[in-house]
Amino acid sequence: MTMAQRQRQEAAPAGASFPDLRWFPPGTHITVRGLKKSFDGNPVYVGFDIDLPKGKIVSIFGPNGCGKSTFINMVAGLLPIDAGQILFEGKTIADTRIGYVFQNYREALFPWLRAIDNVHYPLRLMGIPKAERDRRIAELVAGFDLKFDLNRYPYQLSGGQQQTVSIMRSLVIEPEVLFLDEPFSALDYEMTLIMRDQLQKVLVARGVTTVLVSHDLEEAVYLADKVLMLTRRPSRIADYMDVDLPRPRDPSTLTDARFIELKARTLEVFQNAVRAS
Amino acid sequence: MQSARLSRYAWMAVGPLALFLVWYAVHLAGLVTPKLLPSPVRTLQSVWTHTTTGGMGADFLRTLWRTLQAFVIAAAFGVPIGIIIGASEKLYRSIEFLIDFFRSTPATAMFPLFMIIFGLGDFSKIAVAAFAAWLVVLFNVAYGVMNARQTRILAAKVMGASRARIFKDVMFYECLPQTFVGLRTAVSLALVVIVVAEMFIGSDDGLGKRIIDSQITFDLPQLYGTILVSGILGYGLNLIFLGLEKWLVHWSGRA
């Protein structure tokens, strides 16, 4: 058992029993029940429940320090939880294949490996032979519209290109769930627009369950099927809103009446959440 | 491109040439008595004759060989122990003072003690130099391990890497840039200590011995010449290590 698996197992409490066999609706991938977490006695989550849908993109948005990143890190098994239960279609995180994209791509990629070898790395950890790795990566690359050479080292690539490599590295293992922690916040606006569209294209094509933390309201709404709005600490659900905009969305969506309406609503919820402190 | 490079090298030659000319001018003008400052030409001649017939080349190699022995011992003990110390914050805290203390203690102050322990032979010189260099390697490696990017370790963890894989695939590379800083500093320090040891712990050969002999016989051209040759040795070692670093740790300072 790897250390990560062991940690995740420790993080997930050993089956509190829920008598109701159908206690979450069909189409749900991730169920969070009774989640508790505090830092140095400061409660961040005090009994938090949520269902995250399968094959959809959920973005999480809320005031600064409301525990957005804490939430996905707990769900991804990077941070131990104090109490509660997080299951992926009934499985614990240890039995779930996940991908994680960090905000700081510069510190997440391995600069001693070429970009292509960074993408190979998780497959090598899984013990997959070279020919099969090459085949999977070729298939993955086909879904991306790459305009740079993967044989370069990460530090020879631009920020957007590096984050693209990060995203490829997290998707190459065909994860059941993909976590992204403010993936574009270190990029300039022009690059952000390009990256959003690329990410949307790949995620929708692959139908992977995605949890995205964003500090940008526009981005949160633009990419998501559902927007989870959190309150200030201790975090509660301020709103859990469906985004019914058709896909594929493109920059013209940003001026679409429905988009503006949804964005206005999330902004209002956000402002209430900030004021309520 | 080519001419830019040439002009860069040309500018790099200006300083040394100017020094040479000033030295020559001072000598010609008789500003300093020739007894204390032989002409640069005379000095270079002395290097030439001593290298071809006087065994300066052998001394150079002896000093280089001793320095490398000390360096290898320092690296062989410094790198693994540094990794172990750096991996545990408690362990590091508990011996931080000792490392800093002995790092700050002049290595030359250890000569008599090492002479008592290891005798007057070659090994006692190498041992002092190795001890001093070892602390530098140790400190830098530990520092490199402690400052490994947490995100990279977390990234490997989330991809399912075992503890051993994280160590081999991430930690090792993460501390490599700082390790090289340590190795480069260590080899320079080892050379300093070896040359001083050759002067003051009885020695039959080596550049340090030659320097002391030149002083005793008042052979100033040879004294200046040997100092120059020692400089070339130190500079060359540093250059080689910088080259190795650039080649092996190509991402250093860029990621």
Side-chain angles (χ1 to χ4, degrees):
Chain A
M1 200 191 306
T2 68
M3 190 172 116
Q5 283 170 334
R6 219 178 300 128
Q7 276 201 342
R8 286 176 202 156
Q9 271 199 349
E10 282 161 10
S17 64
F18 289 86
D20 182 359
L21 292 174
R22 284 292 300 274
W23 53 282
F24 60 89
T28 300
H29 193 161
I30 308 170
T31 50
V32 177
R33 291 293 177 273
L35 178 65
K36 284 185 186 158
K37 180 73 184 176
S38 55
F39 290 111
D40 301 324
N42 295 317
V44 184
Y45 288 94
V46 284
F48 190 85
D49 307 316
I50 190 100
D51 290 337
L52 303 177
K54 186 174 171 67
K56 302 280 181 193
I57 303 171
V58 174
S59 53
I60 303 176
F61 188 78
N64 225 350
C66 73
K68 302 182 290 264
S69 294
T70 303
F71 179 76
I72 74 159
N73 286 341
M74 286 191 294
V75 178
L78 291 178
L79 198 66
I81 61 177
D82 293 347
Q85 189 178 46
I86 301 171
L87 292 176
F88 302 77
E89 293 185 309
K91 297 181 295 181
T92 62
I93 185 81
D95 299 318
T96 307
R97 217 165 44 245
I98 64 158
Y100 193 110
V101 176
F102 294 86
Q103 174 183 9
N104 193 343
Y105 46 82
R106 211 172 284 282
E107 294 193 356
L109 289 173
F110 300 150
W112 47 86
L113 297 179
R114 293 174 190 280
I116 187 79
D117 294 323
N118 268 281
V119 182
H120 269 280
Y121 186 73
L123 295 178
R124 270 176 42 205
L125 279 179
M126 291 162 76
I128 292 169
K130 172 119 181 23
E132 171 67 8
R133 296 201 310 256
D134 285 337
R135 193 193 63 72
R136 284 209 207 175
I137 289 171
E139 187 196 80
L140 179 72
V141 167
F144 280 80
D145 183 22
L146 293 186
K147 293 190 175 66
F148 61 95
D149 182 6
L150 281 174
N151 283 310
R152 289 172 159 251
Y153 286 100
Y155 54 78
Q156 296 169 321
L157 302 175
S158 74
Q161 293 167 341
Q162 288 184 47
Q163 194 59 303
T164 304
V165 175
S166 269
I167 291 169
M168 291 174 72
R169 182 176 73 174
S170 67
L171 283 175
V172 74
I173 57 161
E174 287 163 15
E176 295 161 65
V177 186
L178 177 67
F179 298 93
L180 300 114
D181 184 9
E182 303 198 7
F184 308 139
S185 62
L187 301 175
D188 61 49
Y189 190 66
E190 188 189 342
M191 187 45 74
T192 303
L193 289 182
I194 297 169
M195 294 290 293
R196 277 180 199 167
D197 285 338
Q198 186 170 60
L199 184 69
Q200 174 189 226
K201 191 177 124 199
V202 175
L203 293 182
V204 170
R206 297 189 153 239
V208 51
T209 303
T210 303
V211 187
L212 167 93
V213 167
S214 180
H215 73 294
D216 178 350
L217 189 67
E218 183 185 279
E219 177 174 295
V221 176
Y222 182 78
L223 282 172
D225 295 301
K226 269 169 118 48
V227 179
L228 171 60
M229 312 271 300
L230 297 175
T231 64
R232 278 190 186 278
R233 296 179 180 202
S235 296
R236 279 166 289 103
I237 299 173
D239 198 357
Y240 193 23
M241 187 181 82
D242 286 305
V243 180
D244 49 9
L245 295 163
R247 290 191 192 270
R249 300 167 192 164
D250 59 37
S252 72
T253 308
L254 296 174
T255 50
D256 183 275
R258 179 64 184 147
F259 178 82
I260 291 167
E261 190 189 326
L262 284 166
K263 204 176 128 186
R265 190 177 135 197
T266 46
L267 185 61
E268 196 190 321
V269 173
F270 174 73
Q271 281 171 330
N272 286 338
V274 172
R275 255 182 255 120
S277 56
Chain B
M1 186 72 190
Q2 197 67 27
S3 72
R5 223 170 137 162
L6 271 177
S7 111
R8 213 171 79 101
Y9 285 129
W11 275 108
M12 281 169 71
V14 168
L17 279 176
L19 178 68
F20 191 86
L21 288 176
V22 169
W23 180 0
Y24 208 42
V26 169
H27 173 78
L28 282 179
L31 292 174
V32 180
T33 158
K35 276 187 178 164
L36 291 183
L37 188 73
S39 88
V41 176
R42 176 95 181 68
T43 302
L44 291 179
Q45 272 173 349
S46 166
V47 171
W48 176 252
T49 51
H50 282 105
T51 307
T52 48
T53 58
M56 197 191 267
D59 280 342
F60 179 93
L61 290 177
R62 283 301 295 171
T63 301
L64 173 63
W65 175 233
R66 287 185 183 120
T67 303
L68 289 181
Q69 280 176 288
F71 169 77
V72 167
I73 295 171
F77 285 92
V79 174
I81 298 177
I83 289 176
I84 293 167
I85 292 171
S88 156
E89 198 180 329
K90 280 179 192 142
L91 187 58
Y92 178 79
R93 289 277 161 262
S94 64
I95 58 168
E96 187 182 10
F97 172 76
L98 288 179
I99 296 174
D100 280 344
F101 182 83
F102 283 107
R103 223 159 50 89
S104 316
T105 308
T108 44
M110 303 283 197
F111 281 173
L113 179 64
F114 274 71
M115 282 163 73
I116 291 172
I117 298 172
F118 295 106
L120 288 176
D122 242 16
F123 190 73
S124 88
K125 301 181 196 65
I126 293 166
V128 186
F131 177 72
W134 171 65
L135 287 170
V136 174
V137 175
L138 184 82
F139 166 81
N140 276 287
V141 173
Y143 194 77
V145 172
M146 282 189 301
N147 287 286
R149 301 281 207 294
Q150 286 310 305
T151 313
R152 272 185 202 131
I153 294 164
L154 219 51
K157 219 184 244 179
V158 88
M159 289 188 271
S162 64
R163 222 186 138 98
R165 285 304 291 260
I166 289 174
F167 210 83
K168 180 170 86 69
D169 296 344
V170 184
M171 276 303 225
F172 173 75
Y173 292 98
E174 271 292 281
C175 71
L176 217 49
Q178 192 68 36
T179 299
F180 260 88
V181 171
L183 293 178
R184 195 152 44 84
T185 319
V187 81
S188 299
L189 184 62
L191 176 64
V192 169
V193 177
I194 288 290
V195 168
V196 176
E198 285 169 349
M199 290 177 185
F200 298 113
I201 304 183
S203 179
D204 297 331
D205 47 22
L207 292 173
K209 160 86 161 115
R210 185 171 286 270
I211 288 171
I212 276 293
D213 286 353
S214 318
Q215 186 216 10
I216 291 167
T217 58
F218 214 73
D219 182 351
L220 281 188
Q222 184 180 200
L223 180 55
Y224 277 90
T226 315
I227 292 170
L228 263 178
V229 169
S230 308
I232 290 167
L233 178 54
Y235 185 79
L237 283 173
N238 200 44
L239 210 62
I240 289 169
F241 273 77
L242 270 177
L244 275 177
E245 191 176 333
K246 218 173 157 181
W247 176 51
L248 291 172
V249 198
H250 54 86
W251 66 91
S252 179
R254 299 202 270 183

